[in-house]
Amino acid sequence: MSATSMSATPAASDRHSSSSGLLFLSTLVAALGGLLFGFDTAVISGTTEALEVQFELSSGALGFTVATALVGTILGSISVGRPADAWGRRAILSLTAILFTVSAIGSALAPEWYSFMLFRFIGGIGVGAASVVSPMYIAEISPARLRGRLVAVTQFNIVLGILLAFFSNYLIAQAGFGETAWRWMFGVETVPAVAFGVLLWLVPRSPRWLMTKGHDSEAREVLARLGRDDVERELREIRESIDLEHHQLEEPFFGRNYRKPILLAVAIAAFNQLSGINAVLYYAPAIFKMAGAGTDQALLQAVAVGGTNLLFTMIAMAIIDSFGRRRLMLIGSLGYILSLGATAGAFYAYGAEFQAATQAADALENVEQRIAEPPSEAASQDGVPLERATREAEAEARAAFAAAAEEAQGGSRIVLIGLIAFIASHAFSQGAVIWVFISEIFPNRVRARGLALGSFTHWAMAALISWTFPKIAEWSGGHIFAFYALMMFVQLIWVLAVMPETKGVPLEEIQKRLGIR
């Protein structure tokens, strides 16, 4: 071997390492949109009781308040496609960072209900836009052999954001902020939002978007920097798939040519929410409290849900490109059915015990709030010193709650195990697959609009379910979980009969298999 060739090898290795580093850096930065998506989605779960008190909300008004952000996600997801095509994926991600920052600060400082809902709506627009553009950008910079794993980094960051929100809520609740704790829960989102906006300056623009704008030389440079083995071949395949001479970017989207991917995207997005996942994420502490847990215990159990979500997302990410999207969906569907069925059964069997424990927990919280209030001018209550009376009332309420919680303990454990199994099933299947699958099944020329449609369907269903969940759960108890289990049985049939496998298939080949001209 010559000295020249020996010296060239380390240089080539360094270039490859640098290229791989840029690919993974770009993936991680874009996926921060997913982390903010997850944090913003779950942070409200720890504030629902405080919001009810602060703004004097009924259960129906609370559901509407929670759904306000989801209405924003609908607008953000359905309207982001054309701007993403016009201005680029990176530019839109920068805009979402601004929206998240404004929402976090505004929600934390909101003086009344209407301004609070406005700032939550603004954050929802950011969530909807990020849910479309983050996986789109990652799919367009990734080689086919790594695409599933890299796009799934968005889902990993979503569940990491959810876990961080649950954990942050628990820590803030324990920190003694009192009546302002809920404001701190929203305000801490400012830190990752600002970091996201700054880090986006370090990543390149999407090569596929650059090609649609005729910037072939910059696209070539970006692909080379990302470490592609055959840049010219990939450029040629992208150019053929865009096929601007025969398919203008303004061609009708809802036509016969794209019917199959449209139906696939709408179906998987609708099933994602018909599992009840967002109801569980938004109301996890409230559900655990319905099942007999105290407030602090309910917040801690929500952290366990977030940790399970993260663990099983990591497992799914590790195997999605070898195991396949369809097989993950099959296993997850079975897990959904069993876990939701068990949760519904617990509410049927222990309904009376759960109700008694919830009432006892509310009574205990009322007594504790009275103790925390400044002493009034009255020195006694029915001839008994006020401090002594309240301490005795607290002891009685605590004993009553302990007795009621013990009666409900068996059912509470079933609900906790059932929901943890439910979250594991979701993370291992739908959670890891949905954004990968939707980003793969549409051709380059309409991918932005296809992802926008899938995201719109996802968030419209999320808004509907989250808005109605408090009222329906209050009225029906376990029936709501039985309904979700039934929907997952329908999903199982859809996966078996309709869903195609896309693992390891180049984006340009997938459109041929779906019959797209």
Side-chain angles (χ1 to χ4, degrees):
M1 181 181 293
S2 69
T4 304
S5 62
M6 289 177 64
S7 62
T9 302
S13 176
D14 289 344
R15 285 195 301 271
H16 179 74
S17 176
S18 175
S19 299
S20 299
L22 179 62
L23 174 62
F24 289 112
L25 172 66
S26 301
T27 297
L28 290 174
V29 171
L32 281 176
L35 185 140
L36 288 160
F37 166 172
F39 192 98
D40 198 88
T41 295
V43 69
I44 200 169
S45 68
T47 69
T48 51
E49 287 190 20
L51 293 175
E52 284 183 287
V53 174
Q54 179 75 32
F55 301 126
E56 300 179 354
L57 304 176
S58 65
S59 60
L62 175 63
F64 180 75
T65 303
V66 172
T68 300
L70 293 171
V71 176
T73 66
I74 296 170
L75 177 62
S77 63
I78 199 64
S79 62
V80 76
R82 290 187 182 277
D85 280 340
W87 304 331
R89 293 33 167 156
R90 189 180 65 178
I92 297 301
L93 288 174
S94 297
L95 177 60
T96 66
I98 295 172
L99 294 175
F100 283 127
T101 303
V102 170
S103 174
I105 296 172
S107 298
L109 300 178
E112 34 73 34
W113 186 47
Y114 294 105
S115 60
F116 174 80
M117 289 196 298
L118 172 63
F119 286 113
R120 287 293 294 163
F121 177 78
I122 291 171
I125 295 175
V127 169
S131 70
V132 174
V133 181
S134 286
M136 180 197 307
Y137 175 84
I138 296 171
E140 292 183 351
I141 66 170
S142 303
R145 70 183 188 281
L146 297 175
R147 190 178 60 245
R149 197 171 302 168
L150 293 180
V151 173
V153 173
T154 299
Q155 180 61 25
F156 171 82
N157 269 14
I158 291 171
V159 299
L160 178 60
I162 291 169
L163 175 59
L164 290 175
F166 286 151
F167 190 57
S168 172
N169 286 348
Y170 176 73
L171 291 179
I172 291 172
Q174 302 300 309
F177 288 107
E179 294 181 354
T180 64
W182 68 272
R183 296 186 182 276
W184 286 95
M185 290 177 182
F186 286 111
V188 295
E189 187 181 352
T190 306
V191 176
V194 171
F196 180 41
V198 172
L199 290 172
L200 280 167
W201 289 92
L202 303 178
V203 306
R205 295 192 287 184
S206 161
R208 284 181 168 83
W209 177 79
L210 289 168
M211 290 287 288
T212 66
K213 296 300 179 182
H215 302 311
D216 293 20
S217 59
E218 186 177 350
R220 180 180 290 105
E221 179 186 345
V222 170
L223 287 172
R225 290 174 61 201
L226 291 171
R228 291 300 200 274
D229 295 327
D230 192 340
V231 171
E232 294 305 321
R233 179 185 58 79
E234 187 160 351
L235 286 171
R236 187 167 56 252
E237 289 177 352
I238 294 171
R239 191 177 296 111
E240 289 173 358
S241 70
I242 295 171
D243 193 12
L244 291 177
E245 290 183 1
H246 300 95
H247 295 277
Q248 296 300 315
L249 289 172
E250 299 300 321
E251 70 175 314
F253 177 61
F254 293 99
R256 187 182 188 90
N257 197 34
Y258 304 121
R259 182 174 59 186
K260 194 165 185 177
I262 285 172
L263 292 176
L264 289 171
V266 168
I268 196 169
F271 281 128
N272 184 282
Q273 288 303 307
L274 287 170
S275 69
I277 182 61
N278 268 40
V280 172
L281 293 178
Y282 283 135
Y283 298 104
I287 294 170
F288 288 127
K289 193 172 178 183
M290 283 170 55
T295 299
D296 289 347
Q297 186 183 12
L299 286 170
L300 194 57
Q301 288 176 347
V303 175
V305 165
T308 301
N309 200 2
L310 183 66
L311 173 62
F312 279 86
T313 297
M314 292 170 66
I315 295 172
M317 283 177 58
I319 66 173
I320 189 171
D321 281 321
S322 58
F323 205 66
R325 289 62 157 148
R326 190 169 178 271
R327 195 180 298 179
L328 289 178
M329 289 288 290
L330 288 172
I331 295 173
S333 297
L334 293 172
Y336 276 135
I337 294 165
L338 294 174
S339 59
L340 288 168
T343 303
F347 275 95
Y348 291 143
Y350 289 86
E353 290 85 349
F354 288 167
Q355 186 175 13
T358 301
Q359 291 172 347
D362 288 340
L364 176 59
E365 284 184 24
N366 288 336
V367 173
E368 290 175 338
Q369 287 173 2
R370 282 165 47 200
I371 292 173
E373 291 172 355
S376 64
E377 295 181 3
S380 65
Q381 178 178 308
D382 297 331
V384 179
L386 187 59
E387 182 178 353
R388 177 182 160 193
T390 53
R391 293 298 177 186
E392 289 176 353
E394 180 189 19
E396 291 176 3
R398 197 172 295 280
F401 171 68
E406 186 175 358
E407 289 290 323
Q409 189 175 55
S412 297
R413 286 176 178 168
I414 295 173
V415 171
L416 176 60
I417 294 170
L419 290 185
I420 286 178
F422 164 78
I423 288 292
S425 300
H426 175 81
F428 190 72
S429 60
Q430 265 275 15
V433 170
I434 177 173
W435 304 115
V436 175
F437 184 73
I438 294 176
S439 70
E440 291 175 326
I441 58 177
F442 289 98
N444 291 320
R445 55 186 175 267
V446 294
R447 181 169 295 115
R449 282 178 277 175
L451 271 163
L453 174 65
S455 188
F456 167 78
T457 305
H458 174 277
W459 291 116
M461 294 296 297
L464 176 64
I465 288 172
S466 300
W467 187 350
T468 57
F469 179 82
K471 201 71 177 175
I472 295 176
E474 182 180 53
W475 165 73
S476 72
H479 291 331
I480 189 69
F481 296 104
F483 170 76
Y484 296 150
L486 176 61
M487 291 299 97
M488 292 302 92
F489 178 74
V490 178
Q491 175 183 269
L492 176 62
I493 296 173
W494 175 79
V495 174
L496 288 169
V498 178
M499 183 180 177
E501 181 57 75
T502 57
K503 71 167 185 176
V505 184
L507 293 176
E508 287 70 31
E509 178 64 23
I510 291 173
Q511 69 185 68
K512 296 177 183 177
R513 296 188 181 186
L514 292 178
I516 301 170
R517 301 186 302 275

